[in-house]
Every structure is written in structure tokens, then in C-alpha cells.
Amino acid sequence: MRSNPLSIVKVEELKAYYVSESYGINSVVKAVDDVSFEIYEDEILGIAGESGCGKTTLLKTLLGTIKPPLSIFGGRIFYRIEDEYRDILSFREGELRDIRWKIVSYIPQGSMSVLNPVRKIKDTFLDFMEAHRPDISKSEFDSLVKNYLGALGLPTEVLDSYPHQLSGGMRQRVTIALSTIFKPKIVLADEPTTALDVVVQRGILQLLRKIQREEKNTLVVVSHDMGVHARISDRVGIMYAGKIIEIGNTEEIYTNPLHPYTRYLISSLPKIGDKAYRTGVPGSPPSLSNLPAGCRFQDRCPEIKDICREEEPSLVEVNDNHKVACFLVSKGEENYES
């Protein structure tokens, strides 16, 4: 990533809530709550955090797939399209359809949610082409798909297979190929290595990095596995209870984590030769429909202050490209206050 990166996506004060009604009472789940950050051109940004913290909802909003009960309560998402920043939340469905899979694409969690179990892989590719490239001829289709699969190290024989005939890792590779065949500028990957063994995970991560390096595009990877981010991400953003509470360069986050929650996540990683007992984050996250006043991590924090129960900390830059939302850290300081 360049020293002065150019933003390809700008998220400003985004509020994406789930609203449901039960017995005449509205329930509001604040899955993404007043989130602001930037995604840079030609980078891999990792989004980490426990299940239920809002990671997948954030990806949905970045893709523009806002369907009830999910609603946007505020904020904007600017994409740089032809050197102009445009708010995709103001797009009509036709405009969104034009940018999906050409400017931004999505690798969902679980390959079987993409692949039709009763259709061969080549038919899935054909359906995909007809939806997004209806002008393509059969010969062009055959050449494009076979050449692209070959470039990704996938045998063309998979095209004549049904999804259940492929391994989990091979299905995920096919899903990645589907999502990147039109060479989008931004690829959103939701838990791309879930339910795969560590050897297959490594291959999937290598494939994603290969595509990103060759295409010089931007990859956003959501994963609860901090080990995944250590291997692939240029920057890491930590989400907790609907907020981004820390974001920075990967090396800086892992060597100098500033938020207590980030420290817990990193300390839980196994280390070669270290036989010390590992513990998870104590307690459980708050309900997103009944959030506490003040800091959302207060009931789990080992270093809580009085102010933490009264005010919610803002995400502020404490040093170059490293931001944190925590009253234990002052702006311009790298270490905890005494």
C-alpha cells in the first residue's frame, strides 16, 4: 500500500439498524451504529470481531443490499466511480445493479449459498454471465471462463461437476472465481475461510492475495479469526457492538494494540513454544437492542474508569494511521495512560 493512499470508499456516520415489530412494539438492533472509516485503493482491509458485532451487516451495506428488516437510519457510503465520489445509498436499484460485480463484488459466507446444488458449475457461470454480460457469445463465454479458471489454478473439469462433487475448498475457489471474473475494483469477502481446515484456509488466502496483487484491486476481508488477518491484511479494523473501536496498519495493531478488547483478541492467539494458558474475553457483549450508556465494552474491561460509564469514546487518531476509541488512550499517545 502506498504511503499516501487514495480512498476508494468513504463511510461517514453510517447507521444500519434492524427493525422488527413484536406484539405492537418495535425492536431496533443497532448492528452498525455511527461508523466512519475509509477503504484505500490497492489494499487488503481486515474487519475483525466477535460474532454478532456487525461485521456482516457492514458488508451488506457496503454492497448496497439494504432489505427489510435492515434499514439505513443515517450516514453515507461514497464510492469513487470514474474519479468522482458518489453516495451509493442514494442509488436506484438499476444503478446498484450496474456497479455490482463490475465495480464491487461479494464473496458470501458459505459457498453453497451461491452454487445451485442441482446445476453444474458451468451452468452457474452461464447464469452469471447472462445476468451481467448478456452480450457475450458462447465462444467468448467458454474462452473467458476456462482461461480465468486456469489462471486461478482451477482445472476446467470442475465446470462439468455439481457442487456436491467438489470439496469445500474447491467450491470456495469456484465462488471466488465467480465473484472476481469481471475484475471488480472492490471485493468484499465474508468469512471466506469458515469451516475449512487450516491447509485449505491457507490456499484460499493465497488465492485471494494472488488476485489482489495481480489486479491491484481492494479486498475487504471479514473474519473473527485474528490469525487470518495477521496473514493477509494490510490494515485491520476491530468491531465491537456495532462500532469500529480500533483501526490501523496490521503490524501496528498486533505489536501495539491500544484498546483492551483488541489486546484480548490478540493475546488469545497461540504462539509457537508458548505453553501459557490462553483465555478469551471475559463476559459477553451487550445486546445491540439495549446498549448501555457510555463505553460499550465497560462491563468486560479490566481497566474501566468512571468516565467510561458516562460517555462514549470517539474514534480518534493517536498516531499515524492508527485510531482508537478508548478513554485509556489520549490523542497523540501510543501507550495507556497511567
Side-chain angles (χ1 to χ4, degrees), residues 73-131:
F73 277 67
R76 297 183 291 181
I77 300 175
F78 292 102
Y79 273 55
R80 199 176 80 253
I81 301 173
E82 296 179 350
D83 294 324
E84 180 184 355
Y85 286 103
R86 300 181 63 191
D87 180 8
I88 67 163
L89 295 181
S90 67
F91 280 18
R92 295 189 178 95
E93 183 56 38
E95 293 176 293
L96 288 171
R97 193 181 305 116
D98 289 340
I99 70 169
R100 286 179 187 147
W101 276 262
K102 297 172 186 176
I103 291 178
V104 58
S105 71
Y106 180 59
I107 302 171
Q109 185 174 346
S111 56
M112 289 304 285
S113 62
V114 175
L115 305 177
N116 190 326
V118 298
R119 291 177 66 79
K120 290 184 177 180
I121 299 299
K122 65 180 178 182
D123 295 324
T124 300
F125 270 94
L126 183 59
D127 294 341
F128 203 71
M129 287 289 175
E130 289 177 345

Side-chain angles (χ1 to χ4, degrees), residues 44-45 76 86 92 106 108 114 133 177 197 203 218 220 222 234:
I44 300 178
L45 172 66
R76 297 183 291 181
R86 300 181 63 191
R92 295 189 178 95
Y106 180 59
V114 175
R133 286 279 304 276
D197 65 56
T218 294
V220 180
V222 157
D234 299 309

Side-chain angles (χ1 to χ4, degrees), residues 220-279:
V220 180
V221 178
V222 157
S223 178
H224 64 275
D225 187 343
M226 293 296 288
V228 167
H229 297 302
R231 290 194 293 270
I232 193 173
S233 300
D234 299 309
R235 290 193 302 143
V236 178
I238 308 296
M239 283 198 76
Y240 183 78
K243 307 278 284 189
I244 287 184
I245 59 170
E246 187 165 4
I247 188 168
N249 294 331
T250 302
E251 184 178 357
E252 176 75 7
I253 291 290
Y254 280 77
T255 58
N256 185 32
L258 298 178
H259 198 285
Y261 180 64
T262 309
R263 292 170 67 118
Y264 272 122
L265 292 180
I266 293 173
S267 66
S268 67
L269 288 172
K271 298 178 182 178
I272 295 175
D274 185 354
K275 298 181 180 180
Y277 182 71
R278 300 285 167 188
T279 59

Side-chain angles (χ1 to χ4, degrees), residues 140-151 154-156 159 181:
E140 288 177 312
F141 164 77
D142 289 338
S143 176
L144 176 62
V145 173
K146 289 179 180 179
N147 288 340
Y148 192 62
L149 290 180
L154 283 163
T156 56
L159 292 171
I181 194 167

